[in-house]
Amino acid sequence: MSKIPLAGVIGCPVAHSRSPVLHGTWLRQYGLKGHYVPLHVEKDDLPHVLRTLPKMGFVGVNVTIPHKEAALALADTATPMARAIGAANTLTFDDGLIHADNTDGYGFLRNLRDGAPAWEPTNGPALVLGAGGAARAVIVALADAGVTQIQLSNRTRARAETLKAELSAPIDVVDWSDWALAAQDAALIINTTSLGMAGQPALEFSEGLFNPRTVVTDLVYTPLETDFLRQAQGCGCVTVDGLGMLLHQAAPGFERWFGYKPEVSEALRAAVLKA
Ligand code: NAP
């Protein structure tokens, strides 16, 4: 009898992760055999855990903060995308090997194209706010899609300079105090900072900042409609919330582990939002 496939999400902390609800909803919806569980793993335990999970019937895992870089380093093979981003969020165990991928950039672009179908990489400069882990994936995805000018602004300028040095992308670093100026000419603005998230300070900007031709997206999805997106809507911009990125980044892993290509639907959005 074939084994029931197991998968999960490794993080520290991990209790807040919506991935178990997301994958659980798909498993039920498609009537598939399998389980997806949250796995709290401390940093020092990661190498041992990753070598042990396949022996326990795990076919793969998602990886979240703070393990994404370490997971890539521990993998036996990695996709060009994971290498370009410098981090892994999706591991597949096969034939005793760990295969690493990063689907965050894919999820970001799918969500952007769903929410703003008129946006094209050639429309003009993209302004990325923030230079953390999420920004890395967004920048690599934008460059890969053909965006030829990426303006990058971060509170800690040195971190933006590091991304410029490490990523193969057309990046111009903009001072944090000047991002509103860069926003005037941007075809696309992406908030990848944690500002605006429930419990965090808001992202500060002046009224009427946005040009109505600019597409504005926020990676924050709690709340779904941030002040940033609300202001942009008020200026007539097309806006895209961050939930779709979370849903789309999960699909490639689900397909590899459970053998079924899942759909990102309104019902899935509702189930994950309710969790
Ligand atoms: P991270 O690596 O910790 O980076 C945090 C970023 O926020 C840094 O650029 C940091 O700037 C900036 N920041 C934090 N507090 C700030 C403040 N008070 N003023 C100005 N900038 C501030 O986190 P991450 O993994 O990139 O995640 C960032 C956000 O994206 C989180 O809200 C996360 O939930 C969201 N996210 C969403 C998805 C999705 O699927 N929708 C996926 C990944 C992440 P400094 O460098 O100056 O500290």
Side-chain angles (χ1 to χ4, degrees):
M1 202 170 80
S2 64
K3 288 185 188 157
I4 293 178
L6 305 176
V9 53
I10 290 183
C12 183
V14 78
H16 68 285
S17 173
R18 308 233 173 158
S19 294
V21 170
L22 208 177
H23 286 266
T25 302
W26 275 333
L27 284 168
R28 273 194 306 281
Q29 182 183 346
Y30 301 122
L32 299 171
K33 282 201 163 65
H35 299 284
Y36 185 105
V37 290
L39 299 159
H40 183 107
V41 177
E42 300 288 339
K43 258 185 175 169
D44 289 349
D45 296 329
L46 187 69
H48 178 65
V49 166
L50 289 185
R51 293 292 164 197
T52 306
L53 284 175
K55 298 177 189 166
M56 298 164 61
F58 277 77
V59 288
V61 285
N62 286 123
V63 182
T64 188
I65 290 172
H67 298 312
K68 288 183 173 185
E69 287 83 8
L72 177 66
L74 289 164
D76 299 297
T77 69
T79 58
M81 190 51 104
R83 287 199 196 288
I85 293 169
N89 76 334
T90 304
L91 302 180
T92 302
F93 307 135
D94 195 15
D95 276 345
L97 298 177
I98 301 172
H99 302 283
D101 192 7
N102 193 313
T103 63
D104 281 334
Y106 161 82
F108 165 73
L109 266 190
R110 277 296 305 264
N111 185 43
L112 179 62
R113 290 192 189 280
D114 277 2
W119 175 81
E120 292 291 343
T122 49
N123 282 3
L127 170 63
V128 177
L129 304 177
R136 296 182 83 93
V138 165
I139 290 169
V140 170
L142 289 173
D144 200 50
V147 175
T148 55
Q149 195 185 0
I150 299 170
Q151 297 184 299
L152 175 60
S153 192
N154 192 50
R155 174 181 62 174
T156 311
R157 189 181 166 111
R159 226 174 153 191
E161 298 285 2
T162 301
L163 288 205
K164 181 179 162 73
E166 287 183 7
L167 301 181
S168 172
I171 298 174
D172 295 316
V173 174
V174 174
D175 252 6
W176 187 240
S177 54
D178 289 340
W179 73 259
L181 221 61
Q184 298 304 308
D185 298 323
L188 173 68
I189 303 177
I190 309 113
N191 175 36
T192 79
T193 75
S194 45
L195 294 174
M197 205 169 140
Q200 297 286 323
L203 175 52
E204 307 250 332
F205 49 87
S206 53
E207 294 258 324
L209 164 80
F210 301 100
N211 178 330
R213 290 187 304 277
T214 307
V215 172
V216 180
T217 179
D218 202 326
L219 263 51
V220 169
Y221 55 85
T222 48
L224 199 54
E225 192 184 65
T226 58
D227 284 348
F228 191 59
L229 291 185
R230 204 171 302 121
Q231 275 280 337
Q233 277 160 18
C235 294
C237 301
V238 170
T239 63
V240 184
D241 68 58
L243 183 61
M245 173 174 171
L246 176 79
L247 307 183
H248 281 293
Q249 63 76 31
F254 186 91
E255 186 177 358
R256 273 168 225 158
W257 306 326
F258 300 114
Y260 192 93
K261 190 178 177 138
E263 255 183 54
V264 170
S265 63
E266 273 309 313
L268 182 73
R269 271 178 76 89
V272 172
L273 271 179
K274 215 170 68 184

